Amino acid sequence: MSQFGTALKTWRQKRRLSQLDLAMTANVSARHISFLETGRARPSQPMVMMLARHLDLPREIGNQMLAAAGFAPAFVRRQLSDAEMTPAREAIAWMLDRHAPYPGFALDRHWTLTALNPPAESLLGAVGLAQGDNLLAAYLGNPDLQASIVNMEEVAAHTLTRLRLESAHFGGDPVLENAMERLPAMIPESRQIDGPLPPFLPAILNVGGQKLSFFSTLAQFGSAEDIALSELRIELLFPADDATKQVLTA
């Protein structure tokens, strides 16, 4: 079995696809997928790129697959400040600025705050967080943030589920998995639920003696080929009740 074939089989299994599943999705024969995995066939560069997309591989893994097949890397990790990233940088600023007076921020793969709008700066600044700080580390080790989250147990359970999904996308991420190992200690045993669940789980924060309740949406760039940009998440917080809306819009 070739290095590429081993990697292809490993990722196909991680995505829980049979050879036939992948073949039908990629519009090739199952026999060809089998030959690629066993090394009986050598992939072209377009074939590697196509299979990487159909397997929803992170861009870094796509580079590794290309290298395993004997091709040069195709994806680059740029800085958000690079000239080529100007349209993306402006798009992030546009979304965050227009989301005010509600908080919004951008996170990288490991939950480092890469951009914040003024409401988010004010909200997170109250617990000592600013651009460049790591929100995941704060969840786990910032006593001010932990004390401010009224429903910390529920938020921790939701965060654990989110981390599992994000780590699975990358085929396992040591930073995210380390947090996943620590979060269960913050989550109580399952409890009996009385009645139907609400439409969303709010994060309830005690800020300056006021309780603010938020739910969030996540956005990402749908056609990002840059490694860093493909990993970026924009999180927009919305008021979950009228009292919070009134405080934010006052």
Side-chain angles (χ1 to χ4, degrees), residues 204-219:
I204 305 172
L205 308 179
N206 188 332
V207 181
Q210 289 182 313
K211 285 187 179 181
L212 304 179
S213 183
F214 297 98
F215 67 93
S216 67
T217 64
L218 290 172

Side-chain angles (χ1 to χ4, degrees), residues 1-6 8-9 19 29-44 47 68:
M1 185 176 291
S2 67
Q3 186 179 0
F4 173 80
T6 300
L8 177 61
K9 181 177 180 179
Q19 290 181 344
S29 70
R31 183 181 182 185
H32 188 55
I33 297 296
S34 175
F35 280 13
L36 289 173
E37 290 187 357
T38 60
R40 294 181 65 183
R42 184 176 183 274
S44 65
M47 175 63 70

